[in-house]
Amino acid sequence: MRDGSGIAQITLKKGATDPQLFALFAATPRESVIQVDGTVQASPKAQRGVEVIPTRAEILSQAEVPLPLGVADKVGAELDTRLNHRVIDLRKPAVRAIFELRTALLEGLRQSFLSRGFLEVETPKLLRQGAEGGATMFAVDYFDSPAYLAQSPQLYKQMLMSAGFERVFEIAPAFRAEPSDTVRHLTEFSSVDGEIAYIRDADDVRQVLEAIVTDTLATTRARLQSWGNAFADKLPVAEPPFPRIPYTECQELLGTPGAEKDLSPEDEKRLGEVLVTKYGNPFYFLTDFPTSVKVGTFYAHRFDDRPQFVDYFDLDYRGLELASGGRREHRFEQLMANIRAAGVDPATLEGYLEAFRFGMPPHGGWGFGLDRFTTVLADLPNIRESRLFPRDRYRLTP
Ligand code: AMO
């Protein structure tokens, strides 16, 4: 018998157990919901060292036969089958453990943001205009005109810097029309966004981010230990400062010095192998990207003394990008120049731009993928397993 706290053994013995009760259990299909009264007694052979000798039982909800998916079976099912019947899949203690990990991570993240004076905010997910470029925007019918699902809270968290909030965070769904079918992309993911004002450069942002990751892992470990969750002992210990490797050095390590292109997942993986060995830290920052690979990111701050680079970074863990962020362009004229260079019509950014016209402090921030973090911490082969009901190009149900 299983509930949220674990598994208990109910012992029935032919001859010893009341025949009616015995027959009831014998006729009850697996996975039915039952209520049992009985006596608990020590039993060295039982999983928990105790067994229950039932005196009364009632079926609260009878499960249909056959089950679309085994819960107690040792043989694993295909991921698609598991996701098609997710409610039953989630009954497996090992699957539930992933969502205990997620709960502990959310608790740890909130705690470390709050202890650093961040306000938790909730920005709109229905937008007139996207932030991360056209290709991955989901259009929705919004009464008589088109609208889009938010790909990121980017523009709003920046606007809140002009509102004087200074430090904000948001943990919310972000939507991307990702056509590619990979083990690290979803169309709906949880983005952990932070934005802080009065920074000097992106390193001020990196210091806050690495401290939050470090604290979160410590709090999560303690919480999971208190729950007896096996992931507690498998979590990495984060050791700041995380190494910072400039993009140009990355291209040299990849054997393509001088190259200016987005790092592909294969590049990131190869870099991960080299950098983790070289620096002995599974977490590291890739910094100072060429402006040419971030032209669409009009809000990124170009270095004043070398405008061919942006003060931007990725945070990677063993070859997987977990977060990206940096210093923003807070000066109206420079921002307008970036917007024009990105080929974006400033008229579509009216509300955003107003925030820069009436006082905007220097600021920066990041977006961090909670599903990717859960995936690497739980060592899952596919990001879909990190979400309760994942969404991808081909999956909108259950
Ligand atoms: P970016 O687009 O790099 O940056 O996203 C930030 C982080 O979000 C996660 N992520 C995803 N996870 C699962 N499926 C996806 N399709 C997906 N797309 C992104 C990744 C990634 O590192 N506005 C900027 C952030 C900022 O500058 O503050 C942004 O959204 O872990």
Side-chain angles (χ1 to χ4, degrees):
M1 196 177 179
R2 184 187 69 242
D3 70 6
S5 67
I7 292 171
Q9 178 175 308
I10 316 291
T11 305
L12 302 147
K13 285 199 187 102
K14 226 176 188 149
T17 309
D18 163 32
Q20 244 180 321
L21 197 57
F22 196 95
L24 177 76
F25 274 100
T28 305
R30 284 163 69 180
E31 294 301 312
S32 298
V33 180
I34 59 170
Q35 183 182 342
V36 176
D37 295 336
T39 324
V40 180
Q41 61 180 46
S43 163
K45 272 190 274 168
Q47 211 179 41
R48 285 181 156 182
V50 291
E51 60 184 348
V52 178
I53 308 300
T55 50
R56 196 194 71 91
E58 189 184 336
I59 301 177
L60 303 181
S61 168
Q62 182 165 319
E64 282 179 27
V65 182
L67 292 167
L69 188 69
V71 175
D73 299 0
K74 288 275 174 286
V75 204
E78 291 289 327
L79 184 58
D80 258 341
T81 312
R82 291 177 46 202
L83 295 177
N84 285 343
H85 308 285
R86 188 60 158 161
V87 171
I88 297 172
D89 185 54
L90 292 169
R91 293 181 186 181
K92 297 174 194 158
V95 179
R96 179 193 164 95
I98 298 165
F99 296 94
E100 291 176 359
L101 167 63
R102 253 188 108 106
T103 301
L105 283 173
L106 284 167
E107 180 193 22
L109 283 164
R110 283 213 161 79
Q111 238 180 56
S112 48
F113 278 114
L114 294 176
S115 72
R116 288 179 172 77
F118 280 76
L119 276 191
E120 179 160 8
V121 299
E122 295 154 285
T123 63
K125 302 304 157 208
L126 282 167
L127 306 180
R128 189 56 85 199
Q129 177 72 21
E132 310 298 327
T136 67
M137 291 208 288
F138 278 117
V140 293
D141 282 337
Y142 196 72
F143 303 102
D144 299 328
S145 59
Y148 301 96
L149 295 180
Q151 300 153 298
S152 155
Q154 182 64 37
L155 305 186
Y156 289 92
K157 58 181 183 167
Q158 286 193 261
M159 288 157 76
L160 291 172
M161 296 300 99
S162 170
F165 279 19
E166 282 186 37
R167 292 183 157 215
V168 300
F169 79 99
E170 175 162 14
I171 305 177
F175 304 93
R176 306 251 174 124
E178 297 280 0
S180 48
D181 189 14
T182 82
V183 296
R184 56 169 73 194
H185 288 96
L186 296 160
T187 51
E188 180 181 35
F189 67 96
S190 285
S191 187
V192 180
D193 281 86
E195 199 72 22
I196 50 181
Y198 303 112
I199 59 161
R200 277 160 308 195
D201 52 31
D203 209 58
D204 284 347
V205 180
R206 289 191 280 269
Q207 284 176 32
V208 175
L209 176 55
E210 70 192 350
I212 286 175
V213 168
T214 304
D215 287 4
T216 297
L217 282 171
T219 323
T220 301
R221 186 174 308 106
R223 170 59 74 204
L224 292 179
Q225 266 158 2
S226 79
W227 288 342
N229 181 302
F231 287 123
D233 301 327
K234 296 185 186 137
L235 296 184
V237 178
E239 288 183 52
F242 303 160
R244 281 117 162 104
I245 303 102
Y247 176 93
T248 31
E249 194 182 319
C250 295
Q251 289 297 2
E252 282 160 20
L253 290 170
L254 288 168
T256 46
E260 288 193 10
K261 57 180 182 59
D262 249 338
L263 296 171
S264 68
E266 291 69 37
D267 290 342
E268 285 172 1
K269 223 171 149 183
R270 271 176 56 214
L271 263 180
E273 284 157 17
V274 177
L275 295 175
V276 175
T277 313
K278 187 167 173 190
Y279 295 98
N281 198 322
F283 293 98
Y284 49 90
F285 288 109
L286 312 179
T287 71
D288 302 22
F289 289 91
T291 304
S292 59
V293 305
K294 295 277 185 192
V295 172
T297 314
F298 55 78
Y299 48 82
H301 179 94
R302 282 93 172 125
F303 287 105
D304 289 330
D305 55 352
R306 43 183 182 126
Q308 67 277 29
F309 291 95
V310 285
D311 198 2
Y312 253 61
F313 62 83
D314 281 354
L315 169 64
D316 283 26
Y317 176 84
R318 294 191 187 283
L320 178 69
E321 180 198 309
L322 294 180
S324 67
R327 178 176 175 190
R328 321 298 188 193
E329 182 50 73
H330 74 284
R331 299 162 299 183
F332 183 74
E333 291 307 329
Q334 279 87 341
L335 179 62
M336 287 298 285
N338 292 354
I339 289 172
R340 282 191 288 267
V344 175
D345 176 5
T348 60
L349 295 170
E350 206 177 44
Y352 172 71
L353 285 171
E354 189 186 83
F356 293 78
R357 287 169 44 216
F358 301 102
M360 172 65 97
H363 64 280
W366 70 84
F368 177 95
L370 181 64
D371 313 283
R372 287 198 184 170
F373 199 36
T374 309
T375 302
V376 295
L377 295 180
D379 198 20
L380 304 172
N382 192 317
I383 195 170
R384 288 163 180 77
E385 293 191 56
S386 77
R387 285 189 77 87
L388 290 171
F389 300 100
R391 293 289 179 256
D392 63 31
R393 177 166 191 173
Y394 303 103
R395 183 174 291 283
L396 269 173
T397 57

